[in-house]
Amino acid sequence: MDKNKLFLGFVTAALGLFLLISPSTFISFFVIILGVAAVIDGIFILAATRDLIIDPQYKLIVTIRGVMSVLVGLLAVALPKLVAAVAWGAMAYTLAVYLIISVVLQLYTITQLRRNGIMIRQSMIEVATSLVLVLVLFIIPSETIGTLIIRIFGVALLTGGIAMTLIQWKNRPETIIPDSVETVDNTNK
């Protein structure tokens, strides 16, 4: 029995149950997590990728993207706490628009990086992930569709987590405890 997989099964099932019980709390949590990720991404952009190419246009676009990422991320974390429920939908749409702008800017930087012989695989993965998140952020604030999708996802996670836990429990090693133990001394032969 792999204890890590067993733990992962419990956590996945708990997350699925959380999505089923309180989809609106999950949306709030999701927006805050995306906000924190945007701040971290913005800091990374400003610290690490701004100086990859000497081109002044590249530097300007990367700086704009990094600052925008930090500001929108901070807004995503702070604003919902201040304005409560109304801000969640607005913040989700703001994050979605930010991600669209970020993808457009990222596509420009990808072309510049590629021209200069720098690997772009990580950037392409980031663009694809951002586009998926944009779709999620545009769908989630819709009260009926968003809640339905979150609950379907919750059922899938709950089912998957329970299945993973049961499989790990079923495949655990069986320990056989002997009735008696005899020690054989082979040194006197």
Side-chain angles (χ1 to χ4, degrees), residues 39-53:
V39 169
I40 293 170
D41 184 48
I43 291 169
F44 176 76
I45 289 168
L46 292 171
T49 62
R50 191 169 57 167
D51 296 324
L52 284 176
I53 299 175

Side-chain angles (χ1 to χ4, degrees), residues 142-185:
S142 168
E143 193 66 34
T144 55
I145 297 172
T147 303
L148 177 67
I149 289 172
I150 290 172
R151 291 202 173 170
I152 289 171
F153 192 59
V155 167
L157 284 176
L158 182 62
T159 306
I162 290 172
M164 186 183 302
T165 303
L166 291 175
I167 289 170
Q168 288 304 313
W169 184 258
K170 184 180 177 192
N171 293 335
R172 73 185 186 280
E174 293 188 28
T175 306
I176 299 173
I177 301 173
D179 292 334
S180 64
V181 177
E182 291 182 28
T183 305
V184 178
D185 188 15

Side-chain angles (χ1 to χ4, degrees), residues 15 56 61 63 66-67 76 80 104 121 131 133 146 151 161 166 179:
L15 180 61
I61 287 178
T63 302
V67 169
V104 171
R121 182 172 184 239
L131 290 174
L133 289 173
R151 291 202 173 170
L166 291 175
D179 292 334

Side-chain angles (χ1 to χ4, degrees), residues 71-93:
L71 291 176
V72 170
L74 289 174
L75 193 63
V77 172
L79 185 64
K81 290 181 181 178
L82 301 174
V83 186
V86 176
W88 291 117
M91 201 59 242
Y93 289 131

Side-chain angles (χ1 to χ4, degrees), residues 5-117:
K5 287 183 181 176
L6 183 68
F7 178 73
L8 182 63
F10 280 126
V11 170
T12 303
L15 180 61
L17 190 60
F18 174 62
L19 292 177
L20 282 172
I21 292 172
S22 183
S24 61
T25 305
F26 172 74
I27 292 171
S28 306
F29 183 68
F30 184 69
V31 168
I32 289 173
I33 293 295
L34 280 179
V36 170
V39 169
I40 293 170
D41 184 48
I43 291 169
F44 176 76
I45 289 168
L46 292 171
T49 62
R50 191 169 57 167
D51 296 324
L52 284 176
I53 299 175
I54 300 173
D55 181 18
Q57 250 186 337
Y58 173 83
K59 267 189 178 183
L60 176 66
I61 287 178
V62 170
T63 302
I64 290 170
R65 185 169 167 255
V67 169
M68 185 177 64
S69 184
V70 170
L71 291 176
V72 170
L74 289 174
L75 193 63
V77 172
L79 185 64
K81 290 181 181 178
L82 301 174
V83 186
V86 176
W88 291 117
M91 201 59 242
Y93 289 131
T94 303
L95 276 169
V97 170
Y98 149 72
L99 286 171
I100 290 170
I101 295 169
S102 180
V103 163
V104 171
L105 295 174
Q106 181 86 6
L107 290 173
Y108 172 79
T109 59
I110 286 172
T111 59
Q112 293 298 316
L113 291 171
R114 189 165 187 206
R115 283 184 193 161
N116 287 287

